[in-house]
Amino acid sequence: MLIQSSNNVKIYNLSAGKSLPEWLSDRKKRALQSKDLDIRRRVELIQDFDMPGVSTSIKVSKDGKYIMATGIYKPRVRCYEVANLSMKFERCMDAEVIKFEMLSEDYSKVVFLQCDRFVEFHAQYGRYYRTRIPKFGRDLKYHFQSCNLYIVGTGPDVYRLNLEEGRFLNSFQTEATTLNVCDMNPFHQLFVCGSKEGKIEAWDPRARNRVGVLDCALHAVTPDTQVIGIPQVTAVKFRDALTMGVGTSTGQILLYDLRSNRPTRVKDHRYGLPIKTVDFHNLNHDLVASMDSRIVRLWDRNTGEPYVSVEATSDLNDLCLVPNSGMMFMANEDKKMLTYYIPNLGPAPRWCSFLDSLTEELEEGETAAVYDDYKFLTVEELHDLGFSHLIGTNLLRAYMHGYFIDMRLYRKAKSIVEPLSLTRYKQNKVKETIDQQRSSRVQLQKLPAVNRELALKLMEDSKAVDDAEAVGKKSAAKLLMKSNILNDSRFKDLFVNPNFQIDKSSEEFRLLNPAVSRLDKIREKRIKKALVEDQFEPVEGTSVENPLMDDEFSDSERKGRKRTISQSDDSSSSSDDESLRNEIKLQHKIIREEKFQKRRLEREQEKLEGPKFMALKPGQKFQGFRPTNDQPKKKLAKASLGERIHLEEDVNKIKLAPSAGSREMTFTLPQSERVTKAREQAQHHHEERRKIIRSANHLRTRGRGRGGRGRY
């Protein structure tokens, strides 16, 4: 049993306690119960009060003698008899149960709404009948006076199944696209259903027509609520003939008086999770119980003040308050169904009245996070302890990514493997103390191997930031020097890689350096000014005289002085810009002179060295200095037709030279091809000659004027 305290209200978790692994046999469990005192003292209120995988819904019969719960896997229903505090029967089903309703005072008549659109009826002996509805259902309610079963689902229809006649009646046609929940008022038999659009529609079963509509989505948005998206109605419950509670998909609970279309109170869970259950507890306090998948909140219906909250370790699915008591059951996403007892809400039920005397003697205790008698070890920890050879034996039990081992064996192995753990602990403590003393000493700054000047400059800036922080204010100096790239991993290569070394002799650096140096000076002035403003404050009565505020001057003189000061400021800024331009021009001039001197020295060096001698490359053969086809076109254009024919190769032969070596291949063309090629070359020479003549005439015409005519 685990005892919690919330808002000075004690909560007893009866499902908590020392747990045993499931893979232990019944014989070993009984042996542990006889030996272990903690296991014997744990409170197991109802025997086998769990599910194989997940529990989805839970309810108490009207006579209070039976508890029915559904879960998976496989889909099943379990019935517990509180007189014997044990399970009475268990039945498996073909599909998962969405909701179920007890038609009788006990478990003898039950109807189940399943996820495959089937509605299944069970009698005391087992399944009695099953039928199917047109669309997937989400909730159902039974009207005792007319024997009608109302079913809502993914559609606008409210299906009515008369259990006395055994047939479907005409459906109610709503304005919604999907209906999520429904409820029946036990006092005046008003049927309400909540839609996906966030509306509540009320129907009178006697007249079979709609009598009212409530827009809960509009009323859920208030200045005190946090709404994201369109709220859907996910829970609805009647307290009495006039009060109704509505839960939304965005985490709000609205309390309505049926005589008004506006809520009397809006409560927000602040988690943004859908409200799954809304219920009322009226025994000792007028409370509202609202549950989402994370927490159950009990709060005052009149004031909205929180009373107590119950938070579980797994997601919650359903809530059941035991009538006229302080006990509640919860179905959750875990094997064990939760049982909580709050004495402030009411006494324990009659079938477990011993809890009242038991809770008075209990003290607060802690629940072990893992099994106390077993230690969970990973594969690496097994290798460190030298237990890798035990894998596959009875001493280790495989579980998830490791193994369970007996705690006694683990302690013995730990003491053997680490005999000097105390000595090692003392050495570590001594080392930590020495490191703390060394940190208070003067530490030398180690400069990187690359860009040392830049690193030193950044270190000085960071030191200035530390001085500014020592003043105790978030100064402007800190904001000016906040961008320090020494500790930024993105700029690591700037101080490690030699390729990023700043070359001060480069042309780009010398042209940019005047502007950078000027910005550094301005930055230093701002930093000094900010540090002075942080460390000093003006003293009253000792301000600097302002020539503009002197009473001896008239208004015209003040305006003249102000104009003179502004002109002086403009002249100082313009002079700074002029000096910057002059520095950049000077650098340009120096760079040009250096380039000129460098070219001059290269020419003089070539003259002093004399003629150069060239040697053939290995594997090459001297081919002479004959002109080739690669001669410039200008030289060929100036030559006569005869010279050009002599310079060019024979038209009857084609010579090809390979890319490597000094050999040539000659091809002799046939007669027809030779004639064709000769004609093409002659036509080409004629066109080149005509172009030369036209260009010469054009130049002569431009020299004489527009009206003159040139002569070739």
Side-chain angles (χ1 to χ4, degrees):
M1 181 183 294
L2 178 63
I3 304 175
Q4 301 174 351
S5 181
S6 176
N7 199 14
N8 295 326
V9 178
K10 285 191 176 182
I11 305 170
Y12 294 88
N13 186 358
L14 304 180
S15 56
K18 187 173 182 180
S19 56
L20 294 174
E22 290 187 356
W23 38 265
L24 285 180
S25 62
D26 295 338
R27 184 178 179 181
K28 289 186 177 180
K29 288 182 179 179
R30 288 193 297 268
L32 286 175
Q33 289 178 359
S34 61
K35 295 179 181 178
D36 199 329
L37 185 61
D38 294 335
I39 295 177
R40 289 204 306 269
R41 286 183 176 178
R42 64 176 182 165
V43 177
E44 190 175 6
L45 188 62
I46 300 175
Q47 187 178 1
D48 298 330
F49 196 63
D50 54 11
M51 283 288 171
V54 174
S55 54
T56 56
S57 57
I58 185 171
K59 286 186 178 181
V60 179
S61 62
K62 293 185 174 106
D63 58 4
K65 297 180 180 180
Y66 301 96
I67 302 170
M68 295 195 71
T70 60
I72 54 175
Y73 181 83
K74 299 180 179 178
R76 67 191 66 204
V77 56
R78 287 182 175 180
C79 181
Y80 300 91
E81 188 176 4
V82 297
N84 299 324
L85 297 179
S86 62
M87 184 170 60
K88 186 175 183 62
F89 64 85
E90 177 185 16
R91 297 172 187 169
C92 291
M93 299 183 179
D94 298 334
E96 181 181 350
V97 176
I98 303 292
K99 289 289 180 67
F100 72 94
E101 187 79 13
M102 292 184 180
L103 305 180
S104 62
E105 298 292 329
D106 54 4
Y107 70 94
S108 59
K109 294 179 183 179
V110 189
V111 58
F112 298 95
L113 178 62
Q114 298 177 348
C115 63
D116 57 351
R117 295 192 293 149
F118 272 99
V119 179
E120 193 168 299
F121 297 89
H122 280 232
Q124 191 171 2
Y125 56 85
R127 188 172 72 179
Y128 173 75
Y129 182 74
R130 66 190 312 229
T131 184
R132 203 169 190 181
I133 57 177
K135 294 185 178 180
F136 293 97
R138 294 190 176 180
D139 200 1
L140 76 167
K141 283 295 174 182
Y142 181 62
H143 187 218
F144 289 92
Q145 284 73 14
S146 63
C147 296
N148 288 338
L149 183 66
Y150 294 87
I151 306 171
V152 298
T154 58
D157 300 329
V158 179
Y159 304 109
R160 296 191 301 153
L161 179 59
N162 188 276
L163 302 185
E164 185 179 7
E165 300 179 4
R167 66 185 182 92
F168 282 96
L169 304 179
N170 292 333
S171 303
F172 292 161
Q173 299 292 330
T174 64
E175 297 179 352
T177 58
T178 300
L179 298 174
N180 295 327
V181 291
C182 62
D183 194 21
M184 186 77 64
N185 193 301
F187 295 93
H188 48 68
Q189 315 306 320
L190 182 68
F191 175 78
V192 294
C193 53
S195 65
K196 182 181 179 181
E197 288 76 15
K199 294 183 179 180
I200 290 286
E201 295 192 14
W203 293 76
D204 188 356
R206 300 170 297 177
R208 296 188 295 276
N209 55 9
R210 189 175 60 193
V211 295
V213 178
L214 292 177
D215 193 353
C216 301
L218 180 62
H219 298 152
V221 181
T222 63
D224 298 332
T225 59
Q226 300 176 359
V227 180
I228 301 175
I230 300 177
Q232 304 179 20
V233 178
T234 57
V236 60
K237 183 70 175 179
F238 282 102
R239 176 182 177 269
D240 48 30
L242 297 177
T243 306
M244 179 181 65
V246 179
T248 64
S249 60
T250 54
Q252 289 80 35
I253 302 95
L254 296 87
L255 299 182
Y256 281 94
D257 190 324
L258 295 183
R259 295 169 293 185
S260 174
N261 60 353
R262 292 183 177 275
T264 58
R265 184 162 301 281
V266 179
K267 182 73 173 179
D268 196 349
H269 264 215
R270 303 290 181 179
Y271 285 123
L273 300 174
I275 303 298
K276 294 187 176 183
T277 305
V278 176
D279 208 341
F280 297 91
H281 195 282
N282 308 320
L283 189 58
N284 293 342
H285 306 275
D286 192 2
L287 301 177
V288 180
S290 55
M291 185 198 76
D292 57 18
S293 60
R294 185 172 179 179
I295 196 171
V296 176
R297 294 186 185 274
L298 284 89
W299 44 280
D300 192 271
R301 184 177 66 90
N302 300 317
T303 62
E305 294 295 327
Y307 183 74
V308 69
S309 298
V310 180
E311 193 168 0
T313 57
S314 57
D315 292 344
L316 304 175
N317 293 328
D318 195 10
L319 172 66
C320 176
L321 299 179
V322 180
N324 302 322
S325 70
M327 183 173 289
M328 63 179 69
F329 300 114
M330 298 181 196
N332 61 346
E333 296 287 328
D334 201 357
K335 296 180 180 180
K336 185 180 295 186
M337 289 180 284
L338 303 178
T339 305
Y340 287 91
Y341 174 52
I342 305 176
N344 290 19
L345 296 181
R350 181 182 298 178
W351 48 271
C352 57
S353 57
F354 59 89
L355 287 177
D356 290 331
S357 58
L358 182 62
T359 52
E360 295 177 359
E361 302 175 0
L362 291 176
E363 296 178 354
E364 294 185 0
E366 296 182 355
T367 304
V370 295
Y371 306 124
D372 291 343
D373 295 334
Y374 294 88
K375 174 69 175 178
F376 180 80
L377 298 176
T378 61
V379 179
E380 293 78 8
E381 292 174 347
L382 281 176
H383 286 296
D384 295 340
L385 293 176
F387 282 170
S388 57
H389 63 283
L390 296 180
I391 298 176
T393 62
N394 296 330
L395 297 176
L396 297 178
R397 180 73 180 185
Y399 183 77
M400 294 180 66
H401 62 285
Y403 299 88
F404 274 110
I405 187 174
D406 191 272
M407 182 61 72
R408 295 169 295 179
L409 180 60
Y410 170 75
R411 289 172 180 169
K412 289 181 180 179
K414 194 75 173 176
S415 61
I416 295 173
V417 173
E418 297 182 358
L420 302 178
S421 58
L422 180 60
T423 305
R424 190 179 296 109
Y425 172 77
K426 292 180 178 179
Q427 292 177 355
N428 293 334
K429 293 297 291 182
V430 170
K431 186 177 179 181
E432 291 177 1
T433 306
I434 294 174
D435 293 339
Q436 292 177 359
Q437 294 177 356
R438 288 177 178 175
S439 61
S440 60
R441 299 176 183 174
V442 178
Q443 297 180 357
L444 297 177
Q445 295 180 349
K446 295 183 179 180
L447 297 177
V450 181
N451 293 327
R452 291 192 172 186
E453 295 182 359
L454 177 62
L456 184 60
K457 182 179 179 182
L458 294 174
M459 288 180 181
E460 292 176 355
D461 293 345
S462 63
K463 185 178 180 182
V465 171
D466 296 337
D467 296 340
E469 289 180 349
V471 178
K473 298 180 180 180
K474 292 185 177 179
S475 60
K478 182 178 179 180
L479 299 176
L480 289 171
M481 300 177 294
K482 192 175 182 180
S483 58
N484 192 352
I485 62 176
L486 280 174
N487 300 324
D488 198 338
S489 59
R490 297 176 296 175
F491 303 97
K492 181 181 179 181
D493 292 341
L494 185 62
F495 304 100
V496 176
N497 194 347
N499 295 330
F500 292 97
Q501 178 66 43
I502 298 175
D503 187 8
K504 293 187 177 182
S505 62
S506 62
E507 181 179 348
E508 293 80 4
F509 179 82
R510 294 171 64 182
L511 293 177
L512 190 62
N513 190 37
V516 173
S517 60
R518 185 193 175 198
L519 292 176
D520 290 341
K521 292 178 181 178
I522 296 173
R523 187 163 171 266
E524 289 178 1
K525 290 180 181 179
R526 291 180 180 177
I527 292 172
K528 291 179 180 179
K529 182 179 179 181
L531 289 174
V532 170
E533 291 177 356
D534 289 338
Q535 297 179 12
F536 300 95
E537 58 183 5
V539 181
E540 296 181 358
T542 58
S543 59
V544 181
E545 294 183 358
N546 191 350
L548 299 180
M549 301 302 295
D550 197 349
D551 296 335
E552 297 178 0
F553 298 99
S554 62
D555 294 339
S556 60
E557 291 178 349
R558 289 197 192 96
K559 292 180 180 179
R561 285 175 171 270
K562 186 175 183 180
R563 192 182 301 110
T564 305
I565 293 173
S566 62
Q567 290 177 358
S568 63
D569 294 339
D570 296 339
S571 62
S572 62
S573 61
S574 61
S575 62
D576 293 339
D577 296 338
E578 185 66 25
S579 62
L580 178 62
R581 286 195 294 269
N582 293 335
E583 289 181 4
I584 296 175
K585 288 181 181 179
L586 180 62
Q587 290 294 332
H588 275 287
K589 184 177 180 181
I590 294 173
I591 291 171
R592 285 197 300 270
E593 290 180 356
E594 289 180 354
K595 289 183 178 179
F596 176 76
Q597 294 293 338
K598 185 177 180 180
R599 289 196 297 269
R600 181 179 177 184
L601 290 175
E602 289 179 354
R603 289 196 296 269
E604 292 179 356
Q605 187 69 20
E606 290 177 356
K607 290 181 181 179
L608 293 175
E609 291 178 356
K612 293 183 179 180
F613 295 94
M614 307 296 291
L616 285 174
K617 295 181 180 180
Q620 296 292 331
K621 184 179 179 181
F622 180 70
Q623 298 179 356
F625 299 99
R626 292 185 305 154
T628 60
N629 293 334
D630 298 332
Q631 287 182 339
K633 290 184 178 181
K634 292 183 180 180
K635 294 183 179 180
L636 292 175
K638 292 180 181 179
S640 62
L641 180 60
E643 293 177 351
R644 291 164 73 182
I645 291 174
H646 286 295
L647 289 174
E648 291 184 354
E649 297 181 354
D650 191 1
V651 297
N652 298 334
K653 297 181 180 180
I654 295 177
K655 294 183 179 180
L656 297 175
S659 59
S662 59
R663 299 184 180 182
E664 291 182 348
M665 291 185 291
T666 305
F667 299 91
T668 303
L669 300 176
Q671 186 67 24
S672 58
E673 294 182 3
R674 283 184 290 175
V675 173
T676 304
K677 189 173 182 179
R679 288 178 180 176
E680 292 177 355
Q681 289 184 356
Q683 186 178 359
H684 177 70
H685 296 328
H686 183 66
E687 290 179 357
E688 291 288 337
R689 185 178 179 84
R690 289 182 62 185
K691 290 180 181 179
I692 294 172
I693 293 173
R694 283 198 300 268
S695 62
N697 292 337
H698 180 68
L699 292 174
R700 290 180 181 179
T701 303
R702 290 183 62 183
R704 295 179 181 179
R706 293 185 178 181
R709 297 181 62 185
R711 182 181 299 173
Y712 178 71

